[in-house]
Amino acid sequence: MDKFILIGPQGSGKGTQSDLLCNDYDFVHISIGDIFRWNLTNHTKLAARVTRIMNEGRLVPDDIVEEVVRKRLEEHDWNYGFVLDGFPRTRAQAEYLFEGWNLDRAIYLEIPDHVVYERVAVRVAQGQAQGFTKRADDNPEALKMRLQEYYEKTLPLLDLFEKKGMLLRVNAFRPIPDVYESIRSGLGLGAPLKKKS
Ligand code: AMP
């Protein structure tokens, strides 16, 4: 059983690479952002606690996130393993994961800072041109805040993973198949379980 996490800034391709891995190896893709968005759409009690924070692009408090992650992982529907996308994003969350879940590797999708800013600028411009975006947190202020949270709280975690010898750095500023190949070989994954149709 393989337990991976994916770390990277906005637009680094975390969702895309998670999908590829999960499709080929039957891992379960767990996106914390998706779980929160599901709650927002369905107006749950949890949504009432996190909507404003999310729309402002800030990180949801650790205790709330950990509860969501714990409940999701305890479903134990991940026979072959899981890819956690968007968790951990703070030191406390990383400690939580180390204590309970025997993580195997942390995959860091690295893209140059100027590319991150360019991609964010494109998203802002697209949002303004269309007059709407599919995400409430794709407005300029929230995008800026999300980036700030990433640099302040998430990026420092790389040291932690490096010290534990579990960090896989991947240059993600390349075509999607090339990035995927580096991840597969870096993780030592064999041939895919099944052929894609
Ligand atoms: P994402 O789709 O991963 O960018 O997540 C969207 C939003 O959900 C973030 O901007 C945060 O407000 C919240 N969120 C997702 N994952 C976490 C996390 N691990 N810790 C705190 N907040 C999170």
Side-chain angles (χ1 to χ4, degrees):
M1 196 186 300
D2 295 302
K3 298 175 192 147
F4 302 128
I5 62 160
L6 266 168
I7 298 187
Q10 291 157 242
S12 59
K14 294 193 294 288
T16 306
Q17 297 298 333
S18 300
D19 285 344
L20 289 168
L21 280 170
C22 293
N23 190 35
D24 276 350
Y25 297 98
D26 274 352
F27 303 139
V28 173
H29 177 196
I30 301 177
S31 159
I32 306 308
D34 282 352
I35 296 176
F36 280 137
R37 278 184 287 279
W38 182 90
N39 278 274
L40 261 49
T41 308
N42 291 283
H43 304 288
T44 64
K45 272 190 191 163
L46 178 65
R49 299 168 72 192
V50 303
T51 302
R52 193 164 147 203
I53 298 172
M54 281 183 71
N55 288 351
E56 289 175 1
R58 287 185 290 131
L59 289 181
V60 171
D62 290 331
D63 56 333
I64 299 180
V65 185
E66 282 167 25
E67 177 72 8
V68 165
V69 170
R70 186 182 58 74
K71 276 197 191 138
R72 181 62 191 84
L73 292 180
E74 281 178 4
E75 284 178 30
H76 285 283
D77 56 343
W78 34 275
N79 293 337
Y80 292 96
F82 58 74
V83 179
L84 259 181
D85 159 5
F87 183 92
R89 287 191 181 175
T90 66
R91 187 156 189 120
Q93 292 177 14
E95 303 288 355
Y96 166 84
L97 203 57
F98 291 141
E99 273 164 30
W101 296 98
N102 274 330
L103 192 66
D104 290 297
R105 300 293 293 274
I107 307 155
Y108 171 42
L109 298 182
E110 191 164 26
I111 51 176
D113 286 350
H114 75 272
V115 178
V116 177
Y117 286 108
E118 275 159 27
R119 288 184 182 174
V120 167
V122 167
R123 273 165 93 158
V124 170
Q126 278 172 346
Q128 282 163 347
Q130 291 166 1
F132 72 93
T133 53
K134 62 181 181 356
R135 283 177 60 154
D137 57 358
D138 262 357
N139 61 76
E141 292 77 25
L143 280 164
K144 214 176 126 203
M145 177 58 80
R146 281 159 62 196
L147 215 49
Q148 189 180 324
E149 294 275 56
Y150 173 76
Y151 282 115
E152 268 176 25
K153 298 176 182 157
T154 308
L155 209 56
L157 299 181
L158 294 183
D159 259 1
L160 201 66
F161 294 119
E162 192 133 61
K163 283 193 186 115
K164 288 186 181 278
M166 53 171 65
L167 187 67
L168 172 67
R169 276 177 193 271
V170 174
N171 171 4
F173 189 42
R174 291 180 298 157
I176 291 169
D178 297 2
V179 176
Y180 184 52
E181 209 35 54
S182 296
I183 295 177
R184 271 179 15 93
S185 61
L187 295 177
L189 294 170
L193 289 179
K194 57 188 178 203
K195 284 271 166 264
K196 276 178 262 178
S197 52

